[in-house]
Amino acid sequence: MKLVIGLLVLQLFCLSTFARSFIHGTVTDTKGEPLIGVNVVVDGTYIGTATNAEGEFHINLKEGQYTLRVSHMGYETKFTDITVDDETRIRITLKRLSYLTEEVIVSATRAHSKVPMAYVDVSREEIEKRDFGQDIPFILNLTPSFVSSSDAGTGIGYSSFRIRGSDMNRINITLNGIPLNDSESHGVWWVNMPDLASSVENIQIQRGVGTSSHGAGAFGASLNLQTSTLNPNPYGEITTSAGSFNSLRNTLKLGSGMINDRFTFDARLSKVTSDGYINRASSDLKSFFVSGGMHNEKSIFKVNVFSGMEKTYQAWYGVPSSMLDIDRRQYNPAGRYTNDAGETVYYDNETDNYQQDHFQMFYSKEFSSALHLNTAIHYTRGYGFYEQYKADEDFADYGLGRFELGGEIIESSDLIRRKILDNDFYGMTYSLKYSRKKYDFTLGGAWNNYTGDHYGHIIWAGYADHIPKDYKWYFNAGDKKDFNIFGKADYRLVDNINLYGDLQYRTINYVIGGIDDDLRDISRDHDYHFFNPKAGIYFEFDDRQNVYLSYAVAHREPSRSNFKDSRPGEIPGAERLGNIETGYNLRAKSINLNANLFYMNYRDQLVLTGEINDVGAAIMTNVPESYRTGIELLAGMRLSSRLEFSFNMTLSENRIKGFTEYVDNWDYWSDPENEPQQVERHLGNTELSFSPPLIAGGNILWNPAGNFNINLSGKYVDRQFIDNTSSRERMLDEYFFSDLRFDYLMESPWFGQLGFNLMIGNIFNAKYETNAWIYRYINQGEEQRMDGFFPQAGRHFFIGVSVRL
C-alpha cells in the first residue's frame, strides 16, 4: 500500500510540473493526405502519442528544444527538431518507403498502443544486450510477472518460464504469427531452437488472454516473436561468447542488403556448448537460419528456413531435497546404475537427442492504403529420442515373455532403451486488414495439422536372444487438426476514446490410436468447439495519461498426457478462463508509470491433486473453481541523461476453491486382494502451485561515457508451493539474485563496429531453486516423499565479443 501511495504522490508531482505549452502537429504523406496512427515520440523522454483520424497530434511540453521521432509502418522514420514556445504548430511529411515493411507479417496478432490490454515490447537492442547464447526465457527474465527456470542451471539446454504462475503449456507462443506450441503437449522446447535470439528482431509479451492469435489457447499470456527484418545494407557479423561451466557460443551472421532494390538474403550459423551447472548436464547445440525475400512498394514474398539440432545429457530428474543442504546441489541421478562389480556408475549416453526443421513462406500484399493481406504457409519436421539405461527391467513390462537359459528361467534384464518421437506439423495462416479514418478491421484465421508417432526400441539388453530385431514394445500415433477464424475491430469513437472488439471461433479434432509405453491402449477421439470473445475500451485523458478496461474469454483443450493418463472411461474436460484487465498509464518527460489490475477466473482448470489412474500414474483433475488476481506495477525513470532506472512488481493471490488432495497408501497396495487405495483429505481453499504472491525486478542503467554502459539488475521471487496443498513443508523458498553487466561498443575503421560484453551473473552467489516435483506416499503408517529440485547456478560469468562489418 505504501508503494501505491508513493506512486500516486509521484504522479501528482509530475502532473504539477506540466507547463501549458503545446505542440499541435499534423502528419501527412507526400500527397498531402493525413496519416492515421502515426507514432510521435519526444526523443529522450517517455512522452509519445499517435495521430488521430485527421492526422493530427497534440503534445504538452515545457518550453525548450526537442527532437520528435515520427514513425509509421511503410514510411521512412523522420527526426524533427523543434522549439517549443507557447503554442507551437508544425506540419510533418513522411516519405513512403520503396518497399513494404515486414511489420505487416505479425500485425494481425499484436497489440498496438490503444488496445486495452497489458503488454510489453522487447526490442532487438534489448535482446542483444542480454544475449550470451542462453535461451529466450533467460533473456526475458526481467519482464513483468515472469519467472524462468533451467534444468542445467545455466539457461542453456532445457529451460522454461511462467507468467503470472502459468507455465508454457498455457502460454500461446508464435514465431512470425506461426504457432510454436507443440500440438500434443502444448509446450515449447527452446533447446530445439538453439541461439534463436540471434535471429529475433523483437518480442511482444501480452499478459492474460491477450488478442486473438493462432495456435494454443492463451491461459496465462501470449508470446509473439518476430525474426530478423529487412536490412537494406550488406553486413557480416561474428559473435563469440564464453563463460562458466565451459560454456561457449559462436555465431556467424551474413546479409546481402538490398540487391537491385528488391532482393535480400540473410543467414546465421550457430553452435552452443556447455557442461551445465548440474553434473553431466551438458549441451551440444547447433542451428542455422536462412532467409530470402523479394520486396517492392506493394508486396513482400519471403521464405525462412531454420533448423536446430540438440544433444543434452538428461537433467530433468532434479536434485533430491536431502542433498540441497549438504553441498551436493549439483548432483544428477540420471543414468545411475550398479555394475557387476557392485560399483555405482553412470551411463554415459543418458541423453536427449532431437532435430527440428522449420520452413516458413510469407506473402503480403497492399491492395490500397486501406487494405492489406498477409498469408503464410509453414511446415515443421521433428525427429528425436531420449536414451536410458534401465537396470533389472521385467520383460513382461515390454510385452516380452520369460525364457529359459541353462536351466534358469530369465524374467528380467538390464537394458538400454530409446523413446522416439517422429512428427510433422504444417498449415497456413492469413489475415486481411481494412483501415478507415474511424476504424480498423482485421479478419484472420489458420488451419494447422499435426501428426506424431510415439514408439520405443530396446537397443541393447543383457539377455537379448528372444528380443526381435527392431522390436517396438509400444507404438501410438496422434493426429490433430486445428482450425480458427477471428475478427477484431478498433473503433475510434472520438479522438480520445477507442473501442475494441475481438471474436474468435476455434475447432479441434484430436485422434490418438495405439499402445502406450505401459502397454495400455490409449486410443480415443475428441472434438472441441470454442468461442472466445474479447472487448474493451481505451480512454486518453491527454497525451500523457490513459486508462483501459477489457474482458476476454479463452478455452484450452486437454493435452496428450491429460488424455493418455486418465482413468479408463473418464475424459478430462476443457478449461475455460474469463479475464478482466484494467490499467492506468502515465508518460512524462522523465517518468513512465503503469498499474494493471487483473482477475483471471478459471472454470475446470486442470491441476494435480495426487489422484492416480488404474496403473498408478498421476493424473490431472478438473477443479470447478480457481482464480488469479493481482496488480502489476511498472515504472521507468530517467534520473539524468546518463542514468535510468526501471522497476516492475506483481502482487497476486492465486487460489483453488474447495481443493481435495489424495495421497497413495502403500500399506494397502501390498495386499493383493485390495485395489490400490489413497488417503483423501479435504483442504478447502488452497494456493495454486508455482504461483508466488510477489515477483519484483529492477534494473539500473548507467552510461558513464560514450557507448559504455553498466547495468545492475535484480530479481526477487517470493515463496512458491510445489503442490496445491499450501503446505510449507513442500515449497520453494523465496530468492533474490542480481546480475551485473558491462557493454561497450566502438566504431572502428577496420571492423565497422566492435562490441564487448561482460556479465557477472548472481553476483552475491545466492543459493536458490526455481522448480521442483514431489511424490508423496504412506508406508508403514508414515508419510514419506520422493522429490527433485532444480538449483540454479551460483556466481558465474559470460564474456562476449562481436565484430560487425
Side-chain angles (χ1 to χ4, degrees), residues 26-255:
T26 303
V27 183
T28 65
D29 61 16
T30 53
K31 297 178 181 179
E33 294 295 322
L35 295 176
I36 306 167
V38 176
N39 291 313
V40 182
V41 177
V42 182
D43 204 32
T45 76
Y46 295 106
I47 301 172
T49 189
T51 57
N52 61 18
E54 306 301 327
E56 299 171 344
F57 67 92
H58 309 278
I59 297 178
N60 183 339
L61 289 171
K62 296 189 342 184
E63 295 182 357
Q65 303 287 328
Y66 298 93
T67 299
L68 299 183
R69 182 181 185 275
V70 186
S71 60
H72 192 48
M73 189 165 63
Y75 291 81
E76 293 182 358
T77 298
K78 188 170 186 177
F79 290 87
T80 302
D81 294 325
I82 62 168
T83 299
V84 176
D85 183 10
D86 197 18
E87 299 288 324
T88 302
R89 298 185 180 276
I90 61 172
R91 188 178 185 88
I92 299 170
T93 301
L94 294 185
K95 182 180 178 183
R96 188 174 180 85
L97 292 168
S98 60
Y99 50 84
L100 192 63
T101 56
E102 295 174 31
E103 287 84 353
V104 298
I105 291 175
V106 297
S107 61
T109 56
R110 290 209 164 175
H112 59 75
S113 61
K114 294 187 179 182
V115 169
M117 295 175 184
Y119 70 93
V120 294
D121 291 317
V122 183
S123 67
R124 177 66 202 159
E125 181 182 9
E126 294 173 278
I127 294 170
E128 285 182 335
K129 288 180 179 179
R130 298 193 61 83
D131 182 15
F132 290 89
Q134 295 169 293
D135 290 333
I136 295 289
F138 277 67
I139 292 172
L140 300 178
N141 195 40
L142 286 178
T143 57
S145 303
F146 197 100
V147 178
S148 64
S149 182
S150 167
D151 285 7
T154 58
I156 298 174
Y158 273 88
S159 59
S160 60
F161 65 87
R162 297 174 184 270
I163 297 178
R164 292 184 181 174
S166 295
D167 61 25
M168 288 195 299
N169 296 349
R170 287 173 163 80
I171 295 173
N172 175 278
I173 302 176
T174 59
L175 183 70
N176 300 320
I178 292 170
L180 280 183
N181 297 79
D182 179 78
S183 295
E184 291 192 300
S185 70
H186 300 182
V188 173
W189 317 110
W190 303 102
V191 70
N192 298 333
M193 301 171 285
D195 202 25
L196 176 64
S198 291
S199 295
V200 171
E201 185 70 21
N202 54 68
I203 302 172
Q204 183 175 92
I205 305 172
Q206 300 174 19
R207 302 187 300 280
V209 171
T211 64
S212 285
S213 189
H214 310 307
F219 249 53
S222 295
L223 197 71
N224 185 297
L225 302 92
Q226 182 176 18
T227 54
S228 303
T229 55
L230 184 150
N231 191 327
N233 301 311
Y235 67 90
E237 184 175 341
I238 298 174
T239 302
T240 295
S241 58
S244 302
F245 321 112
N246 291 321
S247 300
L248 180 65
R249 186 270 298 261
N250 288 303
T251 301
L252 172 65
K253 296 172 67 175
L254 299 170

Side-chain angles (χ1 to χ4, degrees), residues 362-586:
F362 306 92
Y363 178 72
S364 299
K365 174 70 175 178
E366 180 183 303
F367 296 103
S368 68
S369 60
L371 187 63
H372 294 77
L373 172 69
N374 294 300
T375 60
I377 58 175
H378 64 89
Y379 171 65
T380 301
R381 164 70 177 162
Y383 176 83
F385 61 88
Y386 65 89
E387 188 168 304
Q388 296 174 306
Y389 188 102
K390 305 295 286 186
D392 196 27
E393 291 284 280
D394 292 336
F395 286 132
D397 291 339
Y398 294 84
L400 298 167
R402 61 185 182 174
F403 69 98
E404 184 177 344
L405 180 65
E408 181 183 358
I409 301 300
I410 306 298
E411 297 182 329
S412 63
S413 172
D414 292 355
L415 56 84
I416 299 172
R417 70 185 191 183
R418 287 180 175 175
K419 289 189 170 184
I420 300 163
L421 173 62
D422 185 348
N423 59 12
D424 299 274
F425 178 59
Y426 54 90
M428 64 167 291
T429 68
Y430 68 91
S431 65
L432 184 67
K433 183 175 181 178
Y434 183 68
S435 300
R436 302 300 293 172
K437 284 188 176 183
K438 285 288 187 179
Y439 62 88
D440 297 324
F441 177 75
T442 301
L443 175 67
W447 176 86
N448 298 300
N449 192 81
Y450 170 94
T451 58
D453 293 339
H454 305 257
Y455 56 95
H457 281 308
I458 298 173
I459 64 172
W460 173 88
Y463 298 100
D465 292 345
H466 72 315
I467 302 178
K469 184 180 180 181
D470 297 326
Y471 173 69
K472 295 178 183 178
W473 89 85
Y474 76 95
F475 178 92
N476 62 80
D479 188 305
K480 186 172 185 178
K481 295 176 174 60
D482 188 335
F483 170 81
N484 77 80
I485 185 171
F486 63 83
K488 56 178 73 172
D490 288 280
Y491 180 69
R492 290 170 282 277
L493 188 62
V494 292
D495 280 355
N496 62 337
I497 298 179
N498 199 70
L499 302 180
Y500 177 81
D502 185 337
L503 301 176
Q504 183 195 54
Y505 170 73
R506 183 175 177 228
T507 180
I508 300 157
N509 173 248
Y510 182 34
V511 179
I512 308 174
I515 304 300
D516 201 22
D517 60 357
D518 57 6
L519 306 184
R520 290 186 307 134
D521 187 344
I522 59 172
S523 300
R524 54 185 66 210
D525 188 340
H526 302 279
D527 286 288
Y528 295 95
H529 301 273
F530 298 139
F531 176 61
N532 300 315
K534 308 169 183 69
I537 183 171
Y538 175 95
F539 175 77
E540 284 185 317
F541 294 105
D542 50 38
D543 61 296
R544 283 174 162 77
Q545 300 179 87
N546 61 73
V547 293
Y548 58 85
L549 172 67
S550 66
Y551 178 75
V553 172
H555 292 83
R556 176 180 177 268
E557 75 280 12
S559 67
R560 175 180 182 270
S561 61
N562 297 149
F563 287 127
K564 76 180 187 68
D565 294 334
S566 61
R567 297 189 186 101
E570 295 185 4
I571 300 175
E575 302 170 289
R576 183 186 186 277
L577 168 62
N579 179 205
I580 299 174
E581 305 275 336
T582 183
Y584 167 81
N585 291 298
L586 167 69

